[in-house]
Amino acid sequence: QPLTSILSYAQASRRMLAGKEPEIEEILSHIISDNQRAAQVIKRLRSLLKKSEPEMKFLDINEVVRETTELISTDASVRKVSVTLALESALPPVKGDRIQLQQVLLNLISNSFDALEKTKSARKILLRTSLKGSGSIIAEVKDTGCGIPEENMPKLSKRFFTSKADGLGMGLSISRSIVREHGGSLEIENNKGRGVTVSFTLPAGENNNP
């Protein structure tokens, strides 16, 4: 595949120039690093697209959020959206399917991207994790978008409701179903200023060594 060829050529060039052209060597090192990162992103996307039975394991929710952020980083850059992480350290693990939880986060972030599309002010998304009491982990996706009309709030739980011209109304429904299957719940609320915060809560696991 093309990425493998690019990696091979870059590594060979770096070996040939070893100690002779330090500036070019540095550029080649960046190419190799970006190539390897791109390969990881494609690998994760392929995993997301594969249909398979849920694989329930103890997971670090912060790691799941970071991996998802990598998947949407290029899209965020193209859309000129600033994505910030505020991840609480030393959280207990959650028991879940990594791919399904990434799908939930991707759905919520995608909704935020759409809400920010026509925003003239700063386009920002905050991804935050925290501990609720001692038994639950909360993951939040907060944006500075257009918000949700109050009359639409009760309709958001309906499977085919959407405010998008080309939307199917499935993203939130699927996300809510996945979270429920993980023993949690999903909440949506307008921010006091601009935008929306969608959060989902998952039971904290007991295994500190996922």
Side-chain angles (χ1 to χ4, degrees), residues 74-116:
T74 300
D75 198 8
S77 178
V78 170
R79 293 171 182 262
K80 297 181 180 178
V81 175
S82 170
V83 179
T84 304
L85 302 184
L87 309 179
E88 186 171 323
S89 60
L91 288 173
V94 297
K95 191 170 185 179
D97 182 276
R98 180 184 299 273
I99 301 302
Q100 288 190 351
L101 293 180
Q102 284 184 339
Q103 183 63 61
V104 171
L105 286 165
L106 285 171
N107 286 345
L108 302 185
I109 293 169
S110 176
N111 286 342
S112 289
F113 279 158
D114 291 338
L116 290 164

Side-chain angles (χ1 to χ4, degrees), residues 61 94-95 101 135-138 178-179 182-185 200-204:
I61 191 64
V94 297
K95 191 170 185 179
L101 293 180
S136 299
I137 303 295
I138 302 177
I178 291 173
V179 171
H182 282 71
S185 60
F200 59 92
T201 304
L202 299 172

Side-chain angles (χ1 to χ4, degrees), residues 15 23 31 59 63 70 90 92 101 111-112 129 161 173 204 207:
R15 285 194 298 269
E23 291 183 357
I31 292 173
L59 305 170
E63 184 179 319
E70 287 185 16
L101 293 180
N111 286 342
S112 289
T129 60
F161 174 77
S173 178
N207 183 356

